[in-house]
Amino acid sequence: MKIITTHLSADFDAEETTIPTGCAIDFADLSTGVPMSWQWTFEGATPSSSTDKNPQSIFYPDEGTYNVTLIVTNSESSDTKVKSGYITVSSDLLPEVYFYADDSITCSNKAVQFYDMSQNCPNHWD
């Protein structure tokens, strides 16, 4: 019987990496192999750590440039990914407005769906 080992390679992405002060962002695990546990460290954030596969609503209250670390583990191995200076928080950033519609030419009585793709944590829409 041949035993197949799966090599772990930790990797991740954030929905945004340059954000305004007081913004919360989501992270996504992009690790390869078969991780069974995740240990995140978010420098300068609240919460400062997580064991979720895809942590949500990580809040950065202060200006600065911050590291993010992910350690993935399974029964055979572990791997660490550190992204130095990965998150930049600035009070000078304003929201960038971007949206699209599912149909640009429509007939009367047909609904058009709009999708908000704005960045930099907008918190008010008019």
Side-chain angles (χ1 to χ4, degrees):
M1 175 183 206
K2 184 177 180 182
I3 297 176
I4 299 173
T5 60
T6 303
H7 175 72
L8 287 177
S9 181
D11 198 10
F12 60 89
D13 195 13
E15 70 176 324
E16 295 185 53
T17 58
T18 302
I19 60 174
T21 305
C23 186
I25 56 176
D26 300 337
F27 288 82
D29 172 48
L30 302 176
S31 302
T32 58
V34 184
M36 300 304 291
S37 66
W38 298 263
Q39 180 59 55
W40 297 83
T41 303
F42 306 106
E43 180 184 46
T46 302
S48 61
S49 64
S50 176
T51 56
D52 293 344
K53 179 178 180 179
N54 299 303
Q56 308 290 300
S57 299
I58 305 302
F59 179 73
Y60 285 87
D62 300 312
E63 283 190 301
T65 301
Y66 301 103
N67 302 335
V68 177
T69 302
L70 171 61
I71 302 170
V72 292
T73 306
N74 65 20
S75 62
E76 297 175 9
S77 66
S78 68
D79 189 48
T80 301
K81 179 74 164 199
V82 178
K83 292 189 179 182
S84 298
Y86 186 59
I87 302 296
T88 300
V89 182
S90 173
S91 61
D92 295 333
L93 289 174
L94 295 174
E96 293 180 22
V97 177
Y98 175 70
F99 65 93
Y100 69 93
D102 65 353
D103 193 356
S104 61
I105 301 173
T106 186
C107 299
S108 62
N109 297 327
K110 182 179 179 210
V112 176
Q113 180 69 43
F114 289 90
Y115 299 92
D116 179 20
M117 303 298 288
S118 300
Q119 294 185 337
N120 297 340
C121 300
N123 60 16
H124 183 78
W125 291 261
D126 286 327

